[in-house]
């Protein structure tokens, strides 16, 4: 094998490796249903549960931890709403609990997502003002969950 041919061969190998990498990365990016469920479960619900334990007095109130948890929740809605391409509703995908009403009322859905963000930011701010302020802000925040789920999320069980 000449040096040139070897170089070309190595180049082709690198290209194939690159394609393989791209293909391996694709399924994660191509499954908006899993991604949006993970955001709700791993980020929103997880952090809400953490601060709910504080509100209920099961763990001590910590302003810094509460604010951080609420900021994490606030980071979700902008990403979440980008994960609803047409055809990924409950009727077509039994793996999703997203109702077709989302696509019929996208403006309202987006507004509710922004409500979640605003509520989480307000709770993060209230955490710095103390436990009483935080409790009130938290009670307001969780109204967003119920409101949106009642209209747009199928109750699976
Ligand atoms: C803007 C609407 C909206 C708001 C606000 C909202 N959710 Fe959701 N949530 C959804 C939708 C839609 C789904 C269903 C996603 C799917 O299955 O495709 C969902 C799913 C979930 C799930 C199930 C995830 C899984 O593993 O399938 C949990 C848990 C959850 N939400 C918790 C919360 C909590 C807690 C709040 C409030 C702090 C909240 N959500 C606020 C729309 C919302």
């Amino acid at each position: 094998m000449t040096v040139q041919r070897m170089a070309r061969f190595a180049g082709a190998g690198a290209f194939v490796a690159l394609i393989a990498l791209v293909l391996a990365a694709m399924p994660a990016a191509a499954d908006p249903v899993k991604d949006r469920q993970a955001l709700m479960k791993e980020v929103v619900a997880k952090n809400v549960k953490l601060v709910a334990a504080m509100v209920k007095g099961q763990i001590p109130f910590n302003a810094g931890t509460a604010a951080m948890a609420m900021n994490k929740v606030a980071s979700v809605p902008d990403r979440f709403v980008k994960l609803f391409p047409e055809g990924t509703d409950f009727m077509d995908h039994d793996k999703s609990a997203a109702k077709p009403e989302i696509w019929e009322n996208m403006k309202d859905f987006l507004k509710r997502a922004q409500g979640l963000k605003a509520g989480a930011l307000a709770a993060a701010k209230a955490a710095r003002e103390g436990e009483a302020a935080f409790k009130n802000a938290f009670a307001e925040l969780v109204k967003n969950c119920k409101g949106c789920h009642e209209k747009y999320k199928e109750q699976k069980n």
Side-chain angles (χ1 to χ4, degrees):
M1 212 188 261
T2 66
V3 173
Q4 270 163 331
R5 273 191 67 190
M6 268 168 70
R8 213 180 300 148
F9 187 71
F15 184 68
V16 169
L18 182 70
I19 295 288
L21 268 176
V22 169
L23 287 177
M26 267 172 67
D31 196 344
V33 174
K34 276 207 180 121
D35 287 353
R36 70 199 189 204
Q37 289 174 340
L39 281 177
M40 275 286 151
K41 194 173 163 194
E42 309 298 339
V43 187
V44 176
K46 202 169 144 195
N47 285 289
V48 162
K49 267 183 206 150
L50 171 70
V51 298
M54 286 184 196
V55 167
K56 288 182 202 152
Q58 291 162 346
I59 57 169
F61 175 72
N62 180 295
T65 307
M68 207 199 291
M70 292 298 92
N71 280 325
K72 282 186 190 156
V73 171
S75 78
V76 167
D78 288 339
R79 287 183 282 160
F80 184 68
V81 295
K82 292 197 185 100
L83 298 169
F84 288 84
E86 289 277 349
T88 58
D89 56 29
F90 176 74
M91 303 306 285
D92 291 344
H93 294 247
D94 53 307
K95 281 186 187 135
S96 171
K99 282 190 182 172
E101 280 84 345
I102 291 174
W103 289 266
E104 289 156 20
N105 305 285
M106 195 46 95
K107 258 194 185 161
D108 179 61
F109 185 70
L110 294 176
K111 210 174 93 192
R112 286 175 186 274
Q114 285 310 304
L116 176 66
K117 185 178 169 182
L121 288 175
K125 191 162 168 268
R128 310 268 178 214
E129 291 157 17
E131 195 171 350
F134 183 69
K135 275 186 182 172
N136 288 336
F138 182 70
E140 285 303 311
L141 169 70
V142 292
K143 286 181 191 165
N144 289 285
C145 321
K146 204 167 171 246
C148 190
H149 286 182
E150 272 175 4
K151 205 164 169 197
Y152 299 118
K153 182 176 174 287
E154 194 72 29
Q155 308 306 319
K156 281 198 265 194
N157 29 327

